[in-house]
Amino acid sequence: MELAFAVYLLLSAQAPVQEDLASYTFLVVSDGPSWEPSINNSGEIVYLSRDESGNPNVFSTRRGQLTRSETGHLRFPELNEDGEVVYADRVPPSVEFQVWSSSRGLITGPAPANTPAISDSGEICFVRSDPDKVELHTDRRGLLLDLGDTIGTTCDLNSRGEVVYRALDEEVHFQIFSSTRQQLTDEPESLLGSPSVNNHGEVVWVQSGELHSLSEGQITEFGGKVGFRLDVNDLGDIVFSYWHRKTYLIALATREPERYPEFRPLKYESVREPEIEVEIGIDPLGDPGVVVLGSRDLLPVAILTTQVSNGESLDFDALQVGPLSVRFGPGKAGIVVRSMASREDVDEDGDTDLLLFFRPEKPRFGCGDTEALLVGRTRDGKAFQGLTPVQISGCD
């Protein structure tokens, strides 16, 4: 088991890192009212829309209407590579939800089950809940997690068996968790939607109405118009619902729009707020400003607290930074683990700074680099960036 987990972590670390957020193209998938989309690697997209009778049902961009439910309550469709769709619906006359498959029929029962997801290997995760407890299950492994009374939990899983889910942390804030990587987000002031994970281990979610990625941070700046549920395939294409003219429609974020000639560009106005310019320092307690190529030591980077009263350019409290939002260097590296973030007075000016740690190879510095950029967001959602000179060692 330990060997399998180690192999999983190695493969996840080798997942492709997307480098240029601006290279995303946004496309319109459906014009009419539609929501809760899912996508597979072949580019088929399913979503909910109302049929001719006004009932929510599952529709496909390639196969048309896939379900014929008349309950008026069908929800949460998800698609895998084989074209199998799972969803939640009521079984009349009961008012409780169960999980269904487009090819296998009823999956769960008799206990209620909801918010299903399916992997390319055909495993299905779902949530069981009653007034006293919430449990995370799969149809192959049974009970995975007892989440107490965390109402609002949702899940997704990949073919390696990793399950990502939304649950409450110790401070009673919704966060994104992984069954293998533990807590993935640290956003106590943000509203987080349902997560999605692909077979590379990339995780995406909606946070305060914008697309976010574990490897890239915030992707969209639509002014909070993205719906709570989304899906990502192994190519990095993300489908989501987008609020437009008093209704939701389905949209697609892709770096290869030529694969989707049937969809037209999404017209939107980017809402980008000005970034706060903060002060940072590389290895401030060791060899300041120096990055040693090939080193195996973690690279410390400080975000400094500054005060106008001390003669500095702005008031900025580094302790308000969301550590997991931080990206550093050309490779947009994330921190190693949140628990290693250190609070100390790095520049000895009487206030407390934030010291973060990065794996040395992840920022992807080269011998010609002379500056290092760090970007991130504070816990209340304000964007910031810091730029500092860097000296690259080990190029001889």
Side-chain angles (χ1 to χ4, degrees):
M1 182 69 180
E2 291 182 358
L3 177 59
F5 181 59
V7 171
Y8 171 81
L9 289 179
L10 176 61
L11 291 172
S12 295
Q14 294 175 344
V17 176
Q18 310 288 2
E19 303 231 358
D20 183 7
L21 298 183
S23 67
Y24 274 111
T25 296
F26 297 96
L27 304 173
V28 176
V29 174
S30 68
D31 287 317
S34 45
W35 58 100
E36 296 182 5
S38 179
I39 187 171
N40 63 18
N41 293 336
S42 67
E44 181 181 10
I45 298 170
V46 298
Y47 54 89
L48 284 187
S49 189
R50 296 192 183 276
D51 62 17
E52 294 178 353
S53 300
N55 292 310
N57 270 292
V58 182
F59 290 78
S60 162
T61 53
R62 296 181 180 174
R63 292 179 281 167
Q65 185 172 343
L66 298 182
T67 61
R68 302 287 173 179
S69 172
E70 297 180 354
T71 67
H73 296 283
L74 188 150
R75 57 178 63 178
F76 306 130
E78 181 160 303
L79 171 76
N80 74 1
E81 191 60 24
D82 293 330
E84 182 178 4
V85 180
V86 293
Y87 54 92
D89 201 359
R90 292 179 176 175
V91 184
S94 172
V95 296
E96 303 292 353
F97 282 93
Q98 297 292 346
V99 173
W100 299 73
S101 159
S102 60
S103 59
R104 289 180 271 172
L106 182 62
I107 298 295
T108 59
N114 212 335
T115 62
I118 186 168
S119 72
D120 287 340
S121 64
E123 185 176 18
I124 301 169
C125 72
F126 54 90
V127 175
R128 292 195 187 277
S129 61
D130 60 36
D132 299 320
K133 63 181 178 180
V134 176
E135 297 176 341
L136 197 59
H137 290 251
T138 84
D139 64 331
R140 295 180 182 174
R141 289 177 278 171
L143 175 63
L144 286 184
L145 292 167
D146 183 341
L147 300 176
D149 58 354
T150 306
I151 302 299
T153 296
T154 63
C155 68
D156 193 23
L157 76 171
N158 60 24
S159 292
R160 297 176 183 166
E162 181 185 17
V163 178
V164 294
Y165 57 98
R166 187 179 75 151
L168 296 175
D169 63 12
E170 295 178 351
E171 298 178 351
V172 199
H173 295 118
F174 271 115
Q175 305 291 352
I176 307 302
F177 293 82
S178 159
S179 60
T180 58
R181 291 178 279 175
Q182 308 307 318
Q183 186 171 337
L184 300 180
T185 62
D186 181 22
E187 301 293 342
E189 304 300 328
S190 297
L191 193 59
L192 273 67
S194 302
S196 177
V197 62
N198 66 16
N199 292 324
H200 297 306
E202 171 66 315
V203 181
V204 298
W205 65 91
V206 177
Q207 180 175 318
S208 298
E210 304 291 354
L211 294 182
H212 283 251
S213 154
L214 188 62
S215 67
E216 300 178 349
Q218 184 171 337
I219 294 174
T220 63
E221 290 170 339
F222 288 164
K225 295 182 179 181
V226 180
F228 266 25
R229 289 187 67 87
L230 78 173
D231 195 21
V232 61
N233 65 16
D234 293 343
L235 304 175
D237 300 327
I238 306 170
V239 286
F240 57 97
S241 54
Y242 177 76
W243 185 253
H244 180 68
R245 296 182 179 178
K246 299 184 180 181
T247 190
Y248 277 110
L249 51 80
I250 304 304
L252 170 68
T254 179
R255 286 190 165 86
E256 299 181 79
E258 63 276 6
R259 292 195 292 109
Y260 299 95
E262 68 271 35
F263 303 142
R264 61 180 173 80
L266 172 66
K267 296 181 180 179
Y268 66 93
E269 292 183 4
S270 178
V271 182
R272 175 179 286 274
E273 61 189 49
E275 292 182 327
I276 303 169
E277 297 289 340
V278 303
E279 294 187 24
I280 66 171
I282 299 173
D283 198 7
L285 303 180
D287 197 354
V290 176
V291 171
V292 181
L293 298 183
S295 172
R296 295 185 178 181
D297 296 330
L298 293 179
L299 178 63
V301 179
I303 302 176
L304 304 181
T305 293
T306 55
Q307 301 179 56
V308 173
S309 60
N310 287 344
E312 294 163 314
S313 60
L314 81 160
D315 290 320
F316 182 78
D317 183 1
L319 302 188
Q320 294 304 306
V321 167
L324 294 180
S325 74
V326 173
R327 296 292 180 268
F328 177 61
K332 297 182 173 63
I335 63 173
V336 176
V337 290
R338 182 183 53 149
S339 61
M340 290 189 64
S342 175
R343 300 181 176 191
E344 53 188 285
D345 186 3
V346 172
D347 54 358
E348 299 182 342
D349 64 351
D351 52 33
T352 305
D353 309 302
L354 184 65
L355 193 62
L356 304 175
F357 296 87
F358 301 84
R359 298 194 186 282
E361 72 279 6
K362 294 297 184 179
R364 297 184 181 178
F365 286 109
C367 292
D369 290 322
T370 58
E371 293 181 317
L373 177 68
L374 179 145
V375 299
R377 287 185 174 269
T378 59
R379 297 186 186 277
D380 60 357
K382 293 184 175 65
F384 66 85
Q385 68 174 28
L387 191 65
T388 188
V390 63
Q391 177 183 344
I392 307 300
S393 176
C395 291
D396 297 335

